[in-house]
Amino acid sequence: MIEAIAQQPILAALIALVGLGILFGALLGFAAEKFKVEGDPIVEQIDELLPQTQCGQCGFPGCRPYAESIASGDAINKCPPGGQATINSIANLLDVPAPELDAEHGEEADLRTVAYIREDECIGCTKCIQACPVDAILGAAKLMHTVIANECTGCDLCVEPCPVDCIDMLPVQETIKEWHWPAPPTTADLIASDRSPSAIGGPQL
Amino acid sequence: MKTWVTPGGVHPPENKHQSLTMPIATLPLPEKLLIPLSQHIGTPAVPCVEVGKKVLKGQKIAEANGPLSVPMHAPTSGIISAIEHRPIAHSSGMLAPCIEITSDGRDKWKKHDGFEDVENATPAALVKAIGEAGIAGMGGAGFPSAIKLSPGYQRPIHTLIVNATECEPYITADDSAIRERAAEIIEGIGILSHILGNPSNIMIGIEDNKPEAIAALEPHVVDTGISVVSFPTKYPSGGEKQLIYILTGKEIPSGDLPADIGMVCVNIGTTYAVKRAIVDGEPLISRVTTMTGDACGINRNYETLIGTSVSHMLANSEFNQDGCSRLVMGGPMMGFSLTSADVPIVKTTNCILAPSYEEIPEDDPAQPCIRCGMCAEACPVSLLPQQLFWYSQADDHERLEAHNLFDCIECGACSYVCPSNIPLVQHYRHSKGEIQKARAEKVRSDHARERFEFHQQRIEQAEKDKEAKRAARREAAEQAKAKAAASPDKSASTAGGGAADIIAAAQARAAAKKVSPEQQQAKFERSIAGAEMRLQMAEEKLADAGEGQTDEQNNILTAAVEGARQKLEQAKGRLAEHIKQHNGEQVD
C-alpha cells in the first residue's frame, strides 16, 4: 500500500495534505470549544475604563450598556463624568483618535459631587431610593431618607424625581490626605518678569 | 569595616558648622502649644480630653486609633484650650485637627516610672510601652516605631541598623544629640536589640563629616557588640535603602521593607526616644530641632517641645524677616516651604531653615530639557529622571509606573544637578499623586459597578418573583375553573355548604361575645348611679362656692354641673333604649 502510494507522488501529496488538513481542523475545532471566550472581552475592557457613575448622561441606562454600544461602533465622547481622561484612555484602547467631549451630553465637572438630602424637608416618598442606581439611599416609606455618601457616585438621578426638591448635589471637599502636589508651571508660561510680585516676595509672617 | 558605594549622589555645600557652635538649648516655655493629631504615617489619633480640662506634662491627650497610629501627650502642664482645625506644617496649607494647650507655666510632670528591670521585660511589653509613648520614626517619615519593631516575632532579624547619617545639608539635630547624649543613645539601642531578639549585627551608620559624634559614640560601644561604621559623605546616603546598601551591600527589592530581608533600620533620634520611654517612662513630647540659616542671628539646636510654633522659635533666634528668602521645614533638599510661621513643630521636624536671599536665592525659571543625562547620573536609585520627566508631562501613568516612579525617594539630587533648573521632583510628586488618585478612583468605580450590578440583579429577581407569583395564581384559577367545569353539582354544593358554615360560625362567635340583656341593664343602671353622684357633687361645690367667687370661677362650676347633668341624661336615655329594645325582642 505504502509502496503504491510512493509510486504515485500526486496521490501521496493529496493524502498528506488532506491528512494535515483534517488534523489541524480537528485541533482548531477542539481549541475553539476548549478556550471559548464568553461574551465580548472588548466590552469588559471599555467598561473598566468608564467611571461607573451609572448616570445615564450618555443616553444609555448605565455604563455597561454604553460600553456595549461603543464596542459596536458608537462615539466614545459621550461620558461627561469621565471627561477627557476617559475619552483618551478609551481612544488609546481602541486605537482611534480621541475627540473632544460631546457638549450635548453635559460638561465635565471640576469637583466630584455627592447627593445630600435635607432631612427636615424629606417627606419619605421613596422616589429617590428607586432612582438610585447603586442603592446608596437609605430610608423607608414615610420615613426620612439619607444618602450613604461613601457609596454615592454623584450621578444626579435622584435630584429630578424628588417632589419637594430636598436633594442637593454637594461638592466633595478634598481632605489633607487626598491632597497631592500640583503640577509645577511648565517652561512655556514661566517667564521671570511675568511672575506676580507676591510669588517673588518672602514668606508671609 | 567594608562599606559599599551607592550609585549617583551629589555633594551640596554642607553648611552644618553654623548650628554646631553651641550646645543644645531649651526654648522659653511657649504660652500655647498646638499638637496636630496626625504627625505620623497612618490614622490620626483621637482626642481623649475635653476643652477646659487640666492636664499635666506627659499626660495622654489623644489615643492611638488602630494599629497604624500613635497616641499624643501633653508637652507641658496646662489647660486644653481648643480642639479644632488649625493650620499645620503641610505643603497644601490646609487645616488639620489639632489640640491646643495653654501652658500654666509650671511645666509639672505627671507621675511617671520606667521599667525597673528592662533586661527581664518581655519584648511584647517593651513594644507596647514604645507604642504608648507615642514614638514615631524621627528621621522624617514618622512611621509608628512599635510596628517597625513587631516583625521580629515572626521573622528573625539578624541586622539592626541605626541611622545617624544625617546627610542633608544644614541639619545637625542628630549630630548634636549624639555628642551630648551618646550614653543614652547606646542604652536605647540596647533596648531595641533586646526587643528584636539580639540581632547578631548591630551597626550605627554615620557619615565621616561628623568626627566629634563618632568620637563621642566610640567609648560607649566598647564590649557591646555595636559597631560604629563611618563612610564617605555623600547626599543622599541617609535614605533607608541607601544606608542598608552602604553598610551591608544588600539591596531591598522594590516595594519590600527591610524586615523582608531580616533587617530593621531606625533613626538615632528614635533610639534616644525609646530610652526615655522605657527607662524613664517619659513619652515623646520633645525633640531636637535645628534652627539655622543666615536670616537668624542664632544658629543652634533646641530641645523643642512638640507643638511649639515656628514663630516662637524664630522670635528666640534673632530672626530677621526682611532678610529671609523663605522658611523651610526640613532641609534645603527635601524640605518644603512654609506659607506661615504659625505652625507647630511636630515629631518629625528635624530642622527649620531660614536662609537669606544670598544663601538660597529664588529659583531660576526652568528651561527646556536638553537631555544631558546628568540627572540619571545623580539618581541614587538608578532611575531615568529625564524619561520620567517626559512621561510626567504627558500624564502617561502606565510608562511612569513601568519606569518605577514609585521607587523615587524624592531626594532632589536630579533637580540639584539639572542645568536647566527643571523642578523634576515636583513633577514626580505631582505624578505620584495623580497615579494614587487614579488608583483610588478605580477602586471607587469598581465598587460602584459591583453595587450597580447587584442593584440590576435585585430588580430583575423581584420582577421574576412577581411574574412567578402571577403565573401561579393564574394557574390556580384555571385549575379551579377546570374542576368546576368537570363536576358542577358537587362543587356548587360544597361551595354553598362552605359558605353556610362560615356564616354559622360567625353568628356563633357574635352570640358568644354578647352579654345577656340583664347584665347590660345592670351596667347601665350602675352608670346612672355614678352620674347622679357626680351631678350631686358638682351642685354641692357650686353651692359651697357661693357669693365669694369671681364670675369666671362660677361659670366653670356651673358648666361642670351642666355637664354632669347631661351625662346623667345620656345614661338614662341609653337605659331606656336598652329596655325598649329588649322588650321589643321579647315581643318578637
Side-chain angles (χ1 to χ4, degrees):
Chain A
M1 167 86 173
I2 292 169
E3 268 164 36
I5 292 170
Q7 299 287 317
Q8 312 247 339
I10 297 200
L11 192 67
L14 210 65
I15 289 170
L17 284 177
V18 168
L20 281 173
I22 290 168
L23 185 72
F24 285 121
L27 203 67
L28 280 174
F30 171 74
E33 278 303 309
K34 173 88 182 173
F35 306 108
K36 194 171 183 178
V37 178
E38 296 287 342
D40 191 351
I42 197 78
V43 172
E44 294 288 332
Q45 286 170 25
I46 298 169
D47 194 36
E48 282 280 301
L49 297 174
L50 291 172
Q52 305 301 324
T53 41
Q54 318 294 353
C55 62
Q57 287 184 71
C58 51
F60 294 92
C63 295
R64 204 186 161 81
Y66 180 44
E68 280 160 11
S69 174
I70 290 175
S72 52
D74 200 352
I76 62 171
N77 58 351
K78 294 183 178 177
C79 180
Q84 199 60 43
T86 300
I87 295 174
N88 291 347
S89 49
I90 297 177
N92 197 14
L93 173 73
L94 301 179
D95 205 11
V96 294
E100 296 269 294
L101 180 68
D102 189 350
E104 195 187 303
H105 294 276
E107 281 170 15
E108 188 175 351
D110 295 334
L111 279 172
R112 199 166 72 84
T113 57
V114 293
Y116 172 77
I117 295 179
R118 291 197 298 278
E119 292 169 353
D120 315 343
E121 290 166 43
C122 173
I123 55 169
C125 69
T126 75
K127 282 193 171 141
C128 55
I129 294 181
Q130 287 158 34
C132 181
V134 290
D135 293 334
I137 303 180
L138 205 67
K142 293 187 182 162
L143 294 169
M144 179 200 82
H145 301 348
T146 196
V147 177
I148 308 168
N150 271 349
E151 310 290 358
C152 177
T153 62
C155 68
D156 253 15
L157 291 178
C158 52
V159 176
E160 202 265 313
C162 180
V164 290
D165 267 343
C166 72
I167 304 179
D168 295 319
M169 297 306 293
L170 300 181
V172 179
Q173 294 300 328
E174 193 181 38
T175 63
I176 206 160
K177 252 190 168 168
E178 287 161 355
W179 179 88
H180 66 84
W181 287 85
T186 54
T187 43
D189 55 36
L190 213 151
I191 298 166
S193 56
D194 279 2
R195 279 183 290 174
S196 60
S198 66
I200 299 174
Q204 311 286 310
L205 302 180
Chain B
M1 190 180 262
K2 180 176 162 52
T3 56
W4 281 258
V5 179
T6 52
V10 291
H11 294 93
E14 284 171 18
N15 283 313
K16 288 187 187 256
H17 58 276
Q18 299 97 316
S19 52
L20 284 169
T21 52
M22 286 182 279
I24 301 173
T26 326
L27 286 163
L29 194 65
E31 215 170 283
K32 285 185 172 169
L33 290 152
L34 192 65
I35 297 101
L37 291 173
S38 186
Q39 305 182 14
H40 50 271
I41 288 180
T43 357
V46 183
C48 58
V49 287
E50 299 94 50
V51 174
K53 195 183 165 175
K54 274 191 178 166
V55 289
L56 292 174
K57 184 173 184 161
Q59 190 178 331
K60 196 191 275 183
I61 53 172
E63 294 274 2
N65 182 16
L68 194 63
S69 181
V70 294
M72 304 292 161
H73 302 82
T76 186
S77 59
I79 291 173
I80 306 288
S81 47
I83 301 178
E84 59 189 20
H85 282 66
R86 292 285 183 85
I88 60 160
H90 191 269
S91 339
S92 69
M94 284 168 137
L95 308 186
C98 295
I99 300 179
E100 189 191 64
I101 296 178
T102 303
S103 159
D104 60 8
R106 294 188 301 149
D107 206 24
K108 190 168 179 259
W109 266 100
K110 68 157 192 179
K111 204 171 162 288
H112 59 279
D113 298 304
F115 279 74
E116 277 182 6
D117 189 3
V118 180
E119 268 159 44
N120 289 324
T122 61
L126 293 172
V127 168
K128 189 159 174 273
I130 288 171
E132 279 296 301
I135 299 175
M138 296 177 69
F143 190 79
S145 299
I147 298 178
K148 207 180 227 181
L149 297 171
S150 303
Y153 303 127
Q154 290 103 37
R155 245 179 257 111
I157 298 294
H158 53 74
T159 305
L160 169 64
I161 290 173
V162 179
N163 190 344
T165 319
E166 205 165 50
C167 59
E168 201 165 347
Y170 285 100
I171 309 175
T172 57
D174 291 346
D175 193 354
S176 57
I178 298 168
R179 290 182 193 193
E180 295 180 29
R181 301 164 179 174
E184 285 172 297
I185 285 168
I186 300 298
E187 207 178 340
I189 296 173
I191 296 167
L192 292 180
S193 156
H194 175 55
I195 291 172
L196 296 169
N198 297 312
S200 52
N201 204 358
I202 305 174
M203 290 185 273
I204 303 175
I206 188 162
E207 283 186 338
D208 61 7
N209 62 351
K210 302 176 190 62
E212 291 91 342
I214 296 170
L217 282 172
E218 243 137 31
H220 295 283
V221 298
V222 179
D223 296 333
T224 53
I226 303 170
S227 47
V228 180
V229 185
S230 78
F231 48 88
T233 303
K234 181 168 80 173
Y235 179 83
S237 301
E240 188 173 64
K241 293 187 176 182
Q242 281 67 41
L243 181 64
I244 288 175
Y245 181 74
I246 289 169
L247 296 184
T248 66
K250 293 211 173 76
E251 283 190 67
I252 297 158
S254 172
D256 278 4
L257 294 171
D260 294 325
I261 57 167
M263 295 189 193
V264 165
C265 182
V266 294
N267 181 265
I268 198 145
T270 313
T271 64
Y272 177 69
V274 165
K275 186 261 160 187
R276 303 290 289 185
I278 299 297
V279 179
D280 308 312
E282 291 178 11
L284 178 58
I285 52 166
S286 69
R287 66 156 296 139
V288 181
T289 304
T290 309
M291 176 75 247
T292 186
D294 281 357
C296 280
I298 300 173
N299 282 201
R300 74 187 303 173
N301 283 286
Y302 291 109
E303 180 70 36
T304 323
L305 293 178
I306 305 297
T308 307
S309 77
V310 172
S311 51
H312 179 76
M313 220 171 155
L314 293 172
N316 288 287
S317 307
E318 297 174 10
F319 176 57
N320 167 25
Q321 198 193 319
D322 298 331
C324 178
S325 67
R326 67 182 84 182
L327 265 181
V328 179
M329 187 173 269
M333 302 294 282
M334 291 185 75
F336 57 93
S337 296
L338 296 176
T339 47
S340 154
D342 291 318
V343 294
I345 303 287
V346 295
K347 291 176 182 176
T348 52
T349 310
N350 48 11
C351 180
I352 298 293
L353 176 59
S356 65
Y357 286 97
E358 294 79 44
E359 219 174 350
I360 301 186
E362 190 65 20
D363 292 334
D364 288 328
Q367 306 287 327
C369 172
I370 55 169
R371 297 186 74 74
C372 62
M374 282 170 82
C375 48
E377 276 170 34
C379 182
V381 199
S382 306
L383 298 177
L384 296 173
Q386 77 282 21
Q387 294 304 99
L388 290 172
F389 170 58
W390 293 116
Y391 299 140
S392 170
Q393 281 188 313
D395 275 330
D396 191 340
H397 293 178
E398 235 168 77
R399 270 190 237 174
L400 282 170
E401 287 191 61
H403 280 73
N404 298 309
L405 172 68
F406 282 90
D407 283 338
C408 167
I409 57 169
E410 300 176 21
C411 67
C414 50
S415 307
Y416 180 77
V417 297
C418 181
S420 294
N421 302 311
I422 301 172
L424 292 161
V425 175
Q426 277 191 50
H427 282 279
Y428 306 151
R429 282 177 175 162
H430 168 68
S431 289
K432 280 185 184 176
E434 287 282 309
I435 291 174
Q436 264 150 0
K437 195 174 145 202
R439 282 181 187 165
E441 248 157 48
K442 181 91 184 78
V443 169
R444 197 159 47 223
S445 82
D446 283 348
H447 185 64
R449 181 186 301 114
E450 207 173 282
R451 284 182 77 87
F452 175 65
E453 276 164 11
F454 180 76
H455 172 88
Q456 296 293 90
Q457 200 190 330
R458 184 170 59 79
I459 286 176
E460 255 168 48
Q461 190 60 44
E463 199 58 44
K464 245 184 237 164
D465 289 351
K466 230 188 249 170
E467 191 54 48
K469 250 186 209 164
R470 227 175 276 147
R473 257 206 307 276
R474 207 180 305 126
E475 205 174 303
E478 267 164 22
Q479 265 177 8
K481 222 191 244 167
K483 230 184 199 171
S487 54
D489 295 339
K490 196 183 163 198
S491 67
S493 72
T494 49
D501 283 350
I502 291 165
I503 293 164
Q507 277 172 339
R509 273 202 303 280
K513 259 193 200 160
K514 222 184 222 167
V515 284
S516 70
E518 286 75 26
Q519 278 173 335
Q520 192 80 4
Q521 192 171 337
K523 193 175 155 197
F524 282 131
E525 273 161 7
R526 271 204 305 281
S527 75
I528 288 171
E532 267 172 350
M533 206 171 73
R534 273 196 291 280
L535 175 63
Q536 212 174 349
M537 268 164 69
E539 277 172 344
E540 268 168 26
K541 240 187 207 167
L542 181 60
D544 284 350
E547 300 297 310
Q549 300 295 326
T550 59
D551 285 353
E552 206 180 324
Q553 279 164 327
N554 273 338
N555 282 347
I556 293 168
L557 289 170
T558 324
V561 172
E562 197 52 41
R565 189 170 292 139
Q566 272 176 12
K567 285 242 173 77
L568 176 63
E569 264 157 35
Q570 267 174 17
K572 278 182 179 161
R574 243 181 261 140
L575 176 64
E577 205 174 312
H578 175 76
I579 291 168
K580 201 167 116 196
Q581 215 174 24
H582 194 60
N583 289 347
E585 263 174 34
Q586 280 181 334
V587 169
D588 283 346

